[in-house]
Amino acid sequence: YKLLDIVVDTPALIQALVAPYKKHIYHSRVNLLRGLDGAVTAIDTGQGLVTADCYVLAAGSGNEALLAGTQSAVRMQRRPLQQVMVKGKLPLAYAHGVSLRTAAKPRVTMTTHPMDDGEQVWYLGGQLAEDGVGRTAGEQIDQAKRELSDLFPWVDLNGCQWSTLNIDRAEPANDLQRPDTPFCQRDGNSIV
């Protein structure tokens, strides 16, 4: 079964988006300065103030801290994952491993990230990553090995390197359920 799906080379996309604006992009820890009406009046970068007519807050989980203590109507939630990464001489694969036992979500979602050394990294998500929260890295890797062995028995995983990555999905509050659509909301003179 094949789906038309878009796979994005995120580092290349970011480099392409940044290239024409490099001299206007800064990396720092910031604080929002707000007026009495709650509107953002400036961003304190620690190296100076940045002012604008409208501010776009696209800091993912950082938005939670930026909005803390404000009158913002936007509420955030975090849904944790423990992703697994497998590096080795692996085939290119972008797949959802599905079965009847976990019909609501893919057992494993896999994307491939080519490395400069000619090897591939499989990045494993789906139900595996959601259920991995609370497991040790070793337990999560063992579960990933079982899942891949069951779903892709023809792939030789001998000699592969394994690791995990704990991340939080930052989303608009939705009773810890996955949002159905992308989120963008006007919040005074800001867009979150």
Side-chain angles (χ1 to χ4, degrees), residues 145-182:
K145 288 177 180 179
R146 286 190 292 275
E147 287 287 3
L148 291 180
S149 176
D150 188 38
L151 292 167
F152 306 100
W154 59 88
V155 176
D156 182 7
L157 299 172
N158 290 317
C160 287
Q161 298 173 344
W162 298 78
S163 63
T164 65
L165 173 65
N166 291 294
I167 60 172
D168 279 335
R169 292 170 289 190
E171 306 163 335
N174 188 28
D175 296 325
L176 297 179
Q177 299 299 310
R178 182 179 69 192
D180 293 328
T181 60

PDB file of all heavy atoms in Angstrom, residues 145-182:
ATOM      1  N   LYS A 145      13.680  -3.020  18.375  1.00  0.00           N
ATOM      2  CA  LYS A 145      14.243  -4.182  17.675  1.00  0.00           C
ATOM      3  C   LYS A 145      13.163  -5.236  17.438  1.00  0.00           C
ATOM      4  O   LYS A 145      13.089  -5.832  16.349  1.00  0.00           O
ATOM      5  CB  LYS A 145      15.407  -4.774  18.466  1.00  0.00           C
ATOM      6  CG  LYS A 145      16.653  -3.913  18.429  1.00  0.00           C
ATOM      7  CD  LYS A 145      17.768  -4.507  19.289  1.00  0.00           C
ATOM      8  CE  LYS A 145      19.027  -3.652  19.248  1.00  0.00           C
ATOM      9  NZ  LYS A 145      20.101  -4.203  20.092  1.00  0.00           N
ATOM     10  N   ARG A 146      12.314  -5.473  18.444  1.00  0.00           N
ATOM     11  CA  ARG A 146      11.228  -6.448  18.284  1.00  0.00           C
ATOM     12  C   ARG A 146      10.243  -5.993  17.203  1.00  0.00           C
ATOM     13  O   ARG A 146       9.817  -6.782  16.352  1.00  0.00           O
ATOM     14  CB  ARG A 146      10.509  -6.682  19.616  1.00  0.00           C
ATOM     15  CG  ARG A 146      11.298  -7.521  20.610  1.00  0.00           C
ATOM     16  CD  ARG A 146      10.464  -7.927  21.820  1.00  0.00           C
ATOM     17  NE  ARG A 146      10.101  -6.809  22.667  1.00  0.00           N
ATOM     18  CZ  ARG A 146      10.885  -6.314  23.648  1.00  0.00           C
ATOM     19  NH1 ARG A 146      12.071  -6.852  23.889  1.00  0.00           N
ATOM     20  NH2 ARG A 146      10.473  -5.304  24.380  1.00  0.00           N
ATOM     21  N   GLU A 147       9.869  -4.713  17.232  1.00  0.00           N
ATOM     22  CA  GLU A 147       8.920  -4.189  16.252  1.00  0.00           C
ATOM     23  C   GLU A 147       9.484  -4.287  14.835  1.00  0.00           C
ATOM     24  O   GLU A 147       8.799  -4.739  13.913  1.00  0.00           O
ATOM     25  CB  GLU A 147       8.555  -2.730  16.561  1.00  0.00           C
ATOM     26  CG  GLU A 147       7.661  -2.555  17.762  1.00  0.00           C
ATOM     27  CD  GLU A 147       6.211  -2.988  17.527  1.00  0.00           C
ATOM     28  OE1 GLU A 147       5.863  -3.492  16.432  1.00  0.00           O
ATOM     29  OE2 GLU A 147       5.416  -2.828  18.448  1.00  0.00           O
ATOM     30  N   LEU A 148      10.731  -3.862  14.645  1.00  0.00           N
ATOM     31  CA  LEU A 148      11.325  -3.905  13.313  1.00  0.00           C
ATOM     32  C   LEU A 148      11.494  -5.339  12.825  1.00  0.00           C
ATOM     33  O   LEU A 148      11.282  -5.630  11.645  1.00  0.00           O
ATOM     34  CB  LEU A 148      12.661  -3.170  13.291  1.00  0.00           C
ATOM     35  CG  LEU A 148      12.581  -1.643  13.447  1.00  0.00           C
ATOM     36  CD1 LEU A 148      13.976  -1.037  13.416  1.00  0.00           C
ATOM     37  CD2 LEU A 148      11.685  -1.015  12.393  1.00  0.00           C
ATOM     38  N   SER A 149      11.850  -6.231  13.729  1.00  0.00           N
ATOM     39  CA  SER A 149      11.988  -7.642  13.367  1.00  0.00           C
ATOM     40  C   SER A 149      10.652  -8.210  12.908  1.00  0.00           C
ATOM     41  O   SER A 149      10.591  -8.994  11.958  1.00  0.00           O
ATOM     42  CB  SER A 149      12.533  -8.428  14.556  1.00  0.00           C
ATOM     43  OG  SER A 149      12.582  -9.799  14.253  1.00  0.00           O
ATOM     44  N   ASP A 150       9.580  -7.798  13.575  1.00  0.00           N
ATOM     45  CA  ASP A 150       8.242  -8.276  13.234  1.00  0.00           C
ATOM     46  C   ASP A 150       7.726  -7.641  11.938  1.00  0.00           C
ATOM     47  O   ASP A 150       7.162  -8.321  11.085  1.00  0.00           O
ATOM     48  CB  ASP A 150       7.284  -7.984  14.394  1.00  0.00           C
ATOM     49  CG  ASP A 150       5.922  -8.612  14.205  1.00  0.00           C
ATOM     50  OD1 ASP A 150       5.846  -9.750  13.695  1.00  0.00           O
ATOM     51  OD2 ASP A 150       4.916  -7.962  14.561  1.00  0.00           O
ATOM     52  N   LEU A 151       7.930  -6.330  11.781  1.00  0.00           N
ATOM     53  CA  LEU A 151       7.386  -5.607  10.632  1.00  0.00           C
ATOM     54  C   LEU A 151       8.262  -5.693   9.380  1.00  0.00           C
ATOM     55  O   LEU A 151       7.755  -5.670   8.264  1.00  0.00           O
ATOM     56  CB  LEU A 151       7.183  -4.128  10.993  1.00  0.00           C
ATOM     57  CG  LEU A 151       6.097  -3.833  12.027  1.00  0.00           C
ATOM     58  CD1 LEU A 151       6.205  -2.405  12.523  1.00  0.00           C
ATOM     59  CD2 LEU A 151       4.715  -4.094  11.427  1.00  0.00           C
ATOM     60  N   PHE A 152       9.577  -5.758   9.559  1.00  0.00           N
ATOM     61  CA  PHE A 152      10.515  -5.752   8.439  1.00  0.00           C
ATOM     62  C   PHE A 152      11.548  -6.874   8.618  1.00  0.00           C
ATOM     63  O   PHE A 152      12.744  -6.607   8.739  1.00  0.00           O
ATOM     64  CB  PHE A 152      11.221  -4.396   8.347  1.00  0.00           C
ATOM     65  CG  PHE A 152      10.265  -3.233   8.283  1.00  0.00           C
ATOM     66  CD1 PHE A 152       9.989  -2.480   9.427  1.00  0.00           C
ATOM     67  CD2 PHE A 152       9.647  -2.891   7.097  1.00  0.00           C
ATOM     68  CE1 PHE A 152       9.100  -1.413   9.369  1.00  0.00           C
ATOM     69  CE2 PHE A 152       8.767  -1.822   7.034  1.00  0.00           C
ATOM     70  CZ  PHE A 152       8.482  -1.081   8.173  1.00  0.00           C
ATOM     71  N   PRO A 153      11.111  -8.143   8.621  1.00  0.00           N
ATOM     72  CA  PRO A 153      12.031  -9.245   8.937  1.00  0.00           C
ATOM     73  C   PRO A 153      13.159  -9.417   7.918  1.00  0.00           C
ATOM     74  O   PRO A 153      14.177 -10.021   8.240  1.00  0.00           O
ATOM     75  CB  PRO A 153      11.113 -10.469   8.967  1.00  0.00           C
ATOM     76  CG  PRO A 153       9.926 -10.088   8.144  1.00  0.00           C
ATOM     77  CD  PRO A 153       9.765  -8.602   8.326  1.00  0.00           C
ATOM     78  N   TRP A 154      13.016  -8.891   6.729  1.00  0.00           N
ATOM     79  CA  TRP A 154      14.037  -9.038   5.689  1.00  0.00           C
ATOM     80  C   TRP A 154      15.186  -8.043   5.833  1.00  0.00           C
ATOM     81  O   TRP A 154      16.195  -8.160   5.162  1.00  0.00           O
ATOM     82  CB  TRP A 154      13.400  -8.876   4.310  1.00  0.00           C
ATOM     83  CG  TRP A 154      12.732  -7.545   4.133  1.00  0.00           C
ATOM     84  CD1 TRP A 154      13.307  -6.390   3.681  1.00  0.00           C
ATOM     85  CD2 TRP A 154      11.390  -7.221   4.443  1.00  0.00           C
ATOM     86  NE1 TRP A 154      12.391  -5.367   3.686  1.00  0.00           N
ATOM     87  CE2 TRP A 154      11.187  -5.852   4.151  1.00  0.00           C
ATOM     88  CE3 TRP A 154      10.297  -7.944   4.937  1.00  0.00           C
ATOM     89  CZ2 TRP A 154       9.972  -5.199   4.332  1.00  0.00           C
ATOM     90  CZ3 TRP A 154       9.087  -7.289   5.110  1.00  0.00           C
ATOM     91  CH2 TRP A 154       8.937  -5.936   4.816  1.00  0.00           C
ATOM     92  N   VAL A 155      15.065  -7.057   6.740  1.00  0.00           N
ATOM     93  CA  VAL A 155      16.107  -6.049   6.908  1.00  0.00           C
ATOM     94  C   VAL A 155      17.123  -6.539   7.940  1.00  0.00           C
ATOM     95  O   VAL A 155      16.754  -6.892   9.067  1.00  0.00           O
ATOM     96  CB  VAL A 155      15.512  -4.689   7.342  1.00  0.00           C
ATOM     97  CG1 VAL A 155      16.613  -3.678   7.617  1.00  0.00           C
ATOM     98  CG2 VAL A 155      14.551  -4.166   6.286  1.00  0.00           C
ATOM     99  N   ASP A 156      18.391  -6.558   7.565  1.00  0.00           N
ATOM    100  CA  ASP A 156      19.471  -6.980   8.456  1.00  0.00           C
ATOM    101  C   ASP A 156      19.879  -5.805   9.331  1.00  0.00           C
ATOM    102  O   ASP A 156      20.409  -4.804   8.836  1.00  0.00           O
ATOM    103  CB  ASP A 156      20.651  -7.470   7.627  1.00  0.00           C
ATOM    104  CG  ASP A 156      21.807  -7.975   8.492  1.00  0.00           C
ATOM    105  OD1 ASP A 156      21.647  -8.063   9.742  1.00  0.00           O
ATOM    106  OD2 ASP A 156      22.871  -8.274   7.921  1.00  0.00           O
ATOM    107  N   LEU A 157      19.639  -5.913  10.621  1.00  0.00           N
ATOM    108  CA  LEU A 157      19.955  -4.843  11.567  1.00  0.00           C
ATOM    109  C   LEU A 157      21.246  -5.106  12.332  1.00  0.00           C
ATOM    110  O   LEU A 157      21.599  -4.347  13.233  1.00  0.00           O
ATOM    111  CB  LEU A 157      18.791  -4.650  12.548  1.00  0.00           C
ATOM    112  CG  LEU A 157      17.458  -4.250  11.900  1.00  0.00           C
ATOM    113  CD1 LEU A 157      16.340  -4.271  12.920  1.00  0.00           C
ATOM    114  CD2 LEU A 157      17.569  -2.890  11.245  1.00  0.00           C
ATOM    115  N   ASN A 158      21.957  -6.189  11.970  1.00  0.00           N
ATOM    116  CA  ASN A 158      23.228  -6.499  12.634  1.00  0.00           C
ATOM    117  C   ASN A 158      24.235  -5.385  12.357  1.00  0.00           C
ATOM    118  O   ASN A 158      24.359  -4.903  11.239  1.00  0.00           O
ATOM    119  CB  ASN A 158      23.786  -7.838  12.157  1.00  0.00           C
ATOM    120  CG  ASN A 158      22.944  -8.992  12.658  1.00  0.00           C
ATOM    121  OD1 ASN A 158      22.535  -9.014  13.813  1.00  0.00           O
ATOM    122  ND2 ASN A 158      22.659  -9.938  11.775  1.00  0.00           N
ATOM    123  N   GLY A 159      24.948  -4.979  13.370  1.00  0.00           N
ATOM    124  CA  GLY A 159      25.973  -3.949  13.231  1.00  0.00           C
ATOM    125  C   GLY A 159      25.437  -2.529  13.263  1.00  0.00           C
ATOM    126  O   GLY A 159      26.211  -1.576  13.122  1.00  0.00           O
ATOM    127  N   CYS A 160      24.134  -2.360  13.434  1.00  0.00           N
ATOM    128  CA  CYS A 160      23.566  -1.017  13.491  1.00  0.00           C
ATOM    129  C   CYS A 160      23.832  -0.381  14.852  1.00  0.00           C
ATOM    130  O   CYS A 160      23.994  -1.074  15.863  1.00  0.00           O
ATOM    131  CB  CYS A 160      22.058  -1.059  13.231  1.00  0.00           C
ATOM    132  SG  CYS A 160      21.625  -1.390  11.519  1.00  0.00           S
ATOM    133  N   GLN A 161      23.876   0.931  14.870  1.00  0.00           N
ATOM    134  CA  GLN A 161      23.988   1.697  16.116  1.00  0.00           C
ATOM    135  C   GLN A 161      22.586   2.164  16.503  1.00  0.00           C
ATOM    136  O   GLN A 161      21.810   2.584  15.642  1.00  0.00           O
ATOM    137  CB  GLN A 161      24.894   2.914  15.930  1.00  0.00           C
ATOM    138  CG  GLN A 161      26.311   2.562  15.568  1.00  0.00           C
ATOM    139  CD  GLN A 161      27.117   3.806  15.223  1.00  0.00           C
ATOM    140  OE1 GLN A 161      26.591   4.875  14.978  1.00  0.00           O
ATOM    141  NE2 GLN A 161      28.428   3.652  15.194  1.00  0.00           N
ATOM    142  N   TRP A 162      22.293   2.125  17.806  1.00  0.00           N
ATOM    143  CA  TRP A 162      20.962   2.457  18.308  1.00  0.00           C
ATOM    144  C   TRP A 162      21.062   3.553  19.356  1.00  0.00           C
ATOM    145  O   TRP A 162      21.962   3.537  20.197  1.00  0.00           O
ATOM    146  CB  TRP A 162      20.315   1.224  18.939  1.00  0.00           C
ATOM    147  CG  TRP A 162      20.100   0.094  17.986  1.00  0.00           C
ATOM    148  CD1 TRP A 162      21.040  -0.791  17.537  1.00  0.00           C
ATOM    149  CD2 TRP A 162      18.881  -0.262  17.352  1.00  0.00           C
ATOM    150  NE1 TRP A 162      20.476  -1.683  16.669  1.00  0.00           N
ATOM    151  CE2 TRP A 162      19.150  -1.388  16.533  1.00  0.00           C
ATOM    152  CE3 TRP A 162      17.595   0.242  17.399  1.00  0.00           C
ATOM    153  CZ2 TRP A 162      18.153  -2.003  15.779  1.00  0.00           C
ATOM    154  CZ3 TRP A 162      16.614  -0.375  16.644  1.00  0.00           C
ATOM    155  CH2 TRP A 162      16.892  -1.480  15.836  1.00  0.00           C
ATOM    156  N   SER A 163      20.110   4.463  19.343  1.00  0.00           N
ATOM    157  CA  SER A 163      20.011   5.467  20.404  1.00  0.00           C
ATOM    158  C   SER A 163      18.566   5.966  20.467  1.00  0.00           C
ATOM    159  O   SER A 163      17.764   5.673  19.581  1.00  0.00           O
ATOM    160  CB  SER A 163      20.986   6.629  20.171  1.00  0.00           C
ATOM    161  OG  SER A 163      20.672   7.300  18.983  1.00  0.00           O
ATOM    162  N   THR A 164      18.269   6.697  21.523  1.00  0.00           N
ATOM    163  CA  THR A 164      16.925   7.252  21.671  1.00  0.00           C
ATOM    164  C   THR A 164      17.011   8.754  21.886  1.00  0.00           C
ATOM    165  O   THR A 164      18.061   9.294  22.243  1.00  0.00           O
ATOM    166  CB  THR A 164      16.162   6.616  22.859  1.00  0.00           C
ATOM    167  OG1 THR A 164      16.826   6.956  24.072  1.00  0.00           O
ATOM    168  CG2 THR A 164      16.066   5.103  22.717  1.00  0.00           C
ATOM    169  N   LEU A 165      15.884   9.396  21.680  1.00  0.00           N
ATOM    170  CA  LEU A 165      15.770  10.841  21.840  1.00  0.00           C
ATOM    171  C   LEU A 165      14.424  11.139  22.475  1.00  0.00           C
ATOM    172  O   LEU A 165      13.380  10.773  21.930  1.00  0.00           O
ATOM    173  CB  LEU A 165      15.868  11.520  20.471  1.00  0.00           C
ATOM    174  CG  LEU A 165      15.597  13.013  20.421  1.00  0.00           C
ATOM    175  CD1 LEU A 165      16.660  13.775  21.199  1.00  0.00           C
ATOM    176  CD2 LEU A 165      15.541  13.483  18.976  1.00  0.00           C
ATOM    177  N   ASN A 166      14.453  11.755  23.645  1.00  0.00           N
ATOM    178  CA  ASN A 166      13.217  12.169  24.306  1.00  0.00           C
ATOM    179  C   ASN A 166      12.877  13.578  23.851  1.00  0.00           C
ATOM    180  O   ASN A 166      13.713  14.480  23.934  1.00  0.00           O
ATOM    181  CB  ASN A 166      13.379  12.142  25.825  1.00  0.00           C
ATOM    182  CG  ASN A 166      13.499  10.734  26.345  1.00  0.00           C
ATOM    183  OD1 ASN A 166      12.565   9.960  26.254  1.00  0.00           O
ATOM    184  ND2 ASN A 166      14.659  10.391  26.867  1.00  0.00           N
ATOM    185  N   ILE A 167      11.658  13.755  23.359  1.00  0.00           N
ATOM    186  CA  ILE A 167      11.209  15.070  22.926  1.00  0.00           C
ATOM    187  C   ILE A 167       9.787  15.314  23.397  1.00  0.00           C
ATOM    188  O   ILE A 167       9.056  14.377  23.717  1.00  0.00           O
ATOM    189  CB  ILE A 167      11.283  15.230  21.389  1.00  0.00           C
ATOM    190  CG1 ILE A 167      10.394  14.198  20.693  1.00  0.00           C
ATOM    191  CG2 ILE A 167      12.701  15.142  20.897  1.00  0.00           C
ATOM    192  CD1 ILE A 167      10.268  14.409  19.204  1.00  0.00           C
ATOM    193  N   ASP A 168       9.414  16.571  23.444  1.00  0.00           N
ATOM    194  CA  ASP A 168       8.042  16.971  23.744  1.00  0.00           C
ATOM    195  C   ASP A 168       7.436  17.591  22.506  1.00  0.00           C
ATOM    196  O   ASP A 168       8.019  18.502  21.917  1.00  0.00           O
ATOM    197  CB  ASP A 168       7.995  18.020  24.866  1.00  0.00           C
ATOM    198  CG  ASP A 168       8.096  17.436  26.241  1.00  0.00           C
ATOM    199  OD1 ASP A 168       7.735  16.264  26.409  1.00  0.00           O
ATOM    200  OD2 ASP A 168       8.526  18.152  27.152  1.00  0.00           O
ATOM    201  N   ARG A 169       6.276  17.099  22.114  1.00  0.00           N
ATOM    202  CA  ARG A 169       5.519  17.793  21.079  1.00  0.00           C
ATOM    203  C   ARG A 169       4.833  18.965  21.765  1.00  0.00           C
ATOM    204  O   ARG A 169       4.174  18.786  22.786  1.00  0.00           O
ATOM    205  CB  ARG A 169       4.481  16.866  20.459  1.00  0.00           C
ATOM    206  CG  ARG A 169       5.114  15.759  19.647  1.00  0.00           C
ATOM    207  CD  ARG A 169       4.114  14.726  19.258  1.00  0.00           C
ATOM    208  NE  ARG A 169       3.739  13.964  20.449  1.00  0.00           N
ATOM    209  CZ  ARG A 169       3.025  12.854  20.433  1.00  0.00           C
ATOM    210  NH1 ARG A 169       2.590  12.374  19.294  1.00  0.00           N
ATOM    211  NH2 ARG A 169       2.725  12.215  21.530  1.00  0.00           N
ATOM    212  N   ALA A 170       5.020  20.147  21.256  1.00  0.00           N
ATOM    213  CA  ALA A 170       4.392  21.342  21.810  1.00  0.00           C
ATOM    214  C   ALA A 170       3.212  21.709  20.927  1.00  0.00           C
ATOM    215  O   ALA A 170       3.376  21.898  19.720  1.00  0.00           O
ATOM    216  CB  ALA A 170       5.394  22.484  21.872  1.00  0.00           C
ATOM    217  N   GLU A 171       2.041  21.785  21.529  1.00  0.00           N
ATOM    218  CA  GLU A 171       0.813  21.973  20.766  1.00  0.00           C
ATOM    219  C   GLU A 171      -0.143  22.872  21.537  1.00  0.00           C
ATOM    220  O   GLU A 171       0.026  23.071  22.736  1.00  0.00           O
ATOM    221  CB  GLU A 171       0.130  20.612  20.568  1.00  0.00           C
ATOM    222  CG  GLU A 171       1.003  19.566  19.949  1.00  0.00           C
ATOM    223  CD  GLU A 171       0.463  18.154  20.128  1.00  0.00           C
ATOM    224  OE1 GLU A 171      -0.298  17.894  21.095  1.00  0.00           O
ATOM    225  OE2 GLU A 171       0.816  17.305  19.305  1.00  0.00           O
ATOM    226  N   PRO A 172      -1.173  23.354  20.857  1.00  0.00           N
ATOM    227  CA  PRO A 172      -2.217  24.057  21.597  1.00  0.00           C
ATOM    228  C   PRO A 172      -2.953  23.056  22.492  1.00  0.00           C
ATOM    229  O   PRO A 172      -3.085  21.886  22.131  1.00  0.00           O
ATOM    230  CB  PRO A 172      -3.130  24.598  20.503  1.00  0.00           C
ATOM    231  CG  PRO A 172      -2.899  23.708  19.330  1.00  0.00           C
ATOM    232  CD  PRO A 172      -1.458  23.278  19.427  1.00  0.00           C
ATOM    233  N   ALA A 173      -3.382  23.499  23.659  1.00  0.00           N
ATOM    234  CA  ALA A 173      -4.048  22.602  24.605  1.00  0.00           C
ATOM    235  C   ALA A 173      -5.286  21.975  23.975  1.00  0.00           C
ATOM    236  O   ALA A 173      -6.098  22.657  23.349  1.00  0.00           O
ATOM    237  CB  ALA A 173      -4.431  23.366  25.868  1.00  0.00           C
ATOM    238  N   ASN A 174      -5.404  20.652  24.132  1.00  0.00           N
ATOM    239  CA  ASN A 174      -6.509  19.894  23.550  1.00  0.00           C
ATOM    240  C   ASN A 174      -6.726  18.622  24.370  1.00  0.00           C
ATOM    241  O   ASN A 174      -6.798  17.536  23.815  1.00  0.00           O
ATOM    242  CB  ASN A 174      -6.204  19.562  22.081  1.00  0.00           C
ATOM    243  CG  ASN A 174      -7.383  18.951  21.350  1.00  0.00           C
ATOM    244  OD1 ASN A 174      -8.519  19.201  21.692  1.00  0.00           O
ATOM    245  ND2 ASN A 174      -7.094  18.131  20.347  1.00  0.00           N
ATOM    246  N   ASP A 175      -6.781  18.758  25.701  1.00  0.00           N
ATOM    247  CA  ASP A 175      -6.979  17.617  26.597  1.00  0.00           C
ATOM    248  C   ASP A 175      -5.998  16.486  26.321  1.00  0.00           C
ATOM    249  O   ASP A 175      -6.346  15.310  26.350  1.00  0.00           O
ATOM    250  CB  ASP A 175      -8.415  17.097  26.523  1.00  0.00           C
ATOM    251  CG  ASP A 175      -9.425  18.115  27.008  1.00  0.00           C
ATOM    252  OD1 ASP A 175      -9.094  18.857  27.948  1.00  0.00           O
ATOM    253  OD2 ASP A 175     -10.530  18.181  26.435  1.00  0.00           O
ATOM    254  N   LEU A 176      -4.750  16.846  26.024  1.00  0.00           N
ATOM    255  CA  LEU A 176      -3.662  15.914  25.721  1.00  0.00           C
ATOM    256  C   LEU A 176      -3.946  15.038  24.508  1.00  0.00           C
ATOM    257  O   LEU A 176      -3.325  14.003  24.323  1.00  0.00           O
ATOM    258  CB  LEU A 176      -3.289  15.072  26.935  1.00  0.00           C
ATOM    259  CG  LEU A 176      -2.737  15.875  28.113  1.00  0.00           C
ATOM    260  CD1 LEU A 176      -2.407  14.957  29.277  1.00  0.00           C
ATOM    261  CD2 LEU A 176      -1.517  16.691  27.719  1.00  0.00           C
ATOM    262  N   GLN A 177      -4.890  15.454  23.668  1.00  0.00           N
ATOM    263  CA  GLN A 177      -5.164  14.773  22.409  1.00  0.00           C
ATOM    264  C   GLN A 177      -4.427  15.490  21.287  1.00  0.00           C
ATOM    265  O   GLN A 177      -4.157  16.689  21.364  1.00  0.00           O
ATOM    266  CB  GLN A 177      -6.670  14.771  22.106  1.00  0.00           C
ATOM    267  CG  GLN A 177      -7.494  14.063  23.153  1.00  0.00           C
ATOM    268  CD  GLN A 177      -7.125  12.601  23.287  1.00  0.00           C
ATOM    269  OE1 GLN A 177      -7.041  11.872  22.306  1.00  0.00           O
ATOM    270  NE2 GLN A 177      -6.865  12.155  24.507  1.00  0.00           N
ATOM    271  N   ARG A 178      -4.124  14.756  20.232  1.00  0.00           N
ATOM    272  CA  ARG A 178      -3.437  15.338  19.085  1.00  0.00           C
ATOM    273  C   ARG A 178      -4.372  16.329  18.391  1.00  0.00           C
ATOM    274  O   ARG A 178      -5.530  16.001  18.098  1.00  0.00           O
ATOM    275  CB  ARG A 178      -3.027  14.240  18.120  1.00  0.00           C
ATOM    276  CG  ARG A 178      -2.270  14.760  16.912  1.00  0.00           C
ATOM    277  CD  ARG A 178      -1.872  13.658  15.997  1.00  0.00           C
ATOM    278  NE  ARG A 178      -3.075  13.108  15.381  1.00  0.00           N
ATOM    279  CZ  ARG A 178      -3.113  11.993  14.695  1.00  0.00           C
ATOM    280  NH1 ARG A 178      -2.032  11.278  14.543  1.00  0.00           N
ATOM    281  NH2 ARG A 178      -4.220  11.560  14.158  1.00  0.00           N
ATOM    282  N   PRO A 179      -3.886  17.525  18.107  1.00  0.00           N
ATOM    283  CA  PRO A 179      -4.722  18.480  17.355  1.00  0.00           C
ATOM    284  C   PRO A 179      -5.006  17.944  15.948  1.00  0.00           C
ATOM    285  O   PRO A 179      -4.175  17.253  15.361  1.00  0.00           O
ATOM    286  CB  PRO A 179      -3.856  19.735  17.286  1.00  0.00           C
ATOM    287  CG  PRO A 179      -2.825  19.569  18.349  1.00  0.00           C
ATOM    288  CD  PRO A 179      -2.620  18.099  18.513  1.00  0.00           C
ATOM    289  N   ASP A 180      -6.181  18.259  15.432  1.00  0.00           N
ATOM    290  CA  ASP A 180      -6.573  17.781  14.109  1.00  0.00           C
ATOM    291  C   ASP A 180      -5.993  18.619  12.977  1.00  0.00           C
ATOM    292  O   ASP A 180      -5.925  18.160  11.838  1.00  0.00           O
ATOM    293  CB  ASP A 180      -8.100  17.770  13.976  1.00  0.00           C
ATOM    294  CG  ASP A 180      -8.744  16.738  14.877  1.00  0.00           C
ATOM    295  OD1 ASP A 180      -8.115  15.690  15.115  1.00  0.00           O
ATOM    296  OD2 ASP A 180      -9.869  16.980  15.341  1.00  0.00           O
ATOM    297  N   THR A 181      -5.618  19.860  13.282  1.00  0.00           N
ATOM    298  CA  THR A 181      -5.158  20.771  12.241  1.00  0.00           C
ATOM    299  C   THR A 181      -3.944  21.552  12.741  1.00  0.00           C
ATOM    300  O   THR A 181      -3.672  21.609  13.941  1.00  0.00           O
ATOM    301  CB  THR A 181      -6.260  21.784  11.891  1.00  0.00           C
ATOM    302  OG1 THR A 181      -6.596  22.529  13.071  1.00  0.00           O
ATOM    303  CG2 THR A 181      -7.512  21.092  11.356  1.00  0.00           C
ATOM    304  N   PRO A 182      -3.219  22.187  11.820  1.00  0.00           N
ATOM    305  CA  PRO A 182      -2.156  23.100  12.257  1.00  0.00           C
ATOM    306  C   PRO A 182      -2.764  24.228  13.079  1.00  0.00           C
ATOM    307  O   PRO A 182      -3.955  24.518  12.976  1.00  0.00           O
ATOM    308  CB  PRO A 182      -1.578  23.633  10.942  1.00  0.00           C
ATOM    309  CG  PRO A 182      -1.996  22.652   9.909  1.00  0.00           C
ATOM    310  CD  PRO A 182      -3.295  22.067  10.375  1.00  0.00           C
TER     311      PRO A 182
END
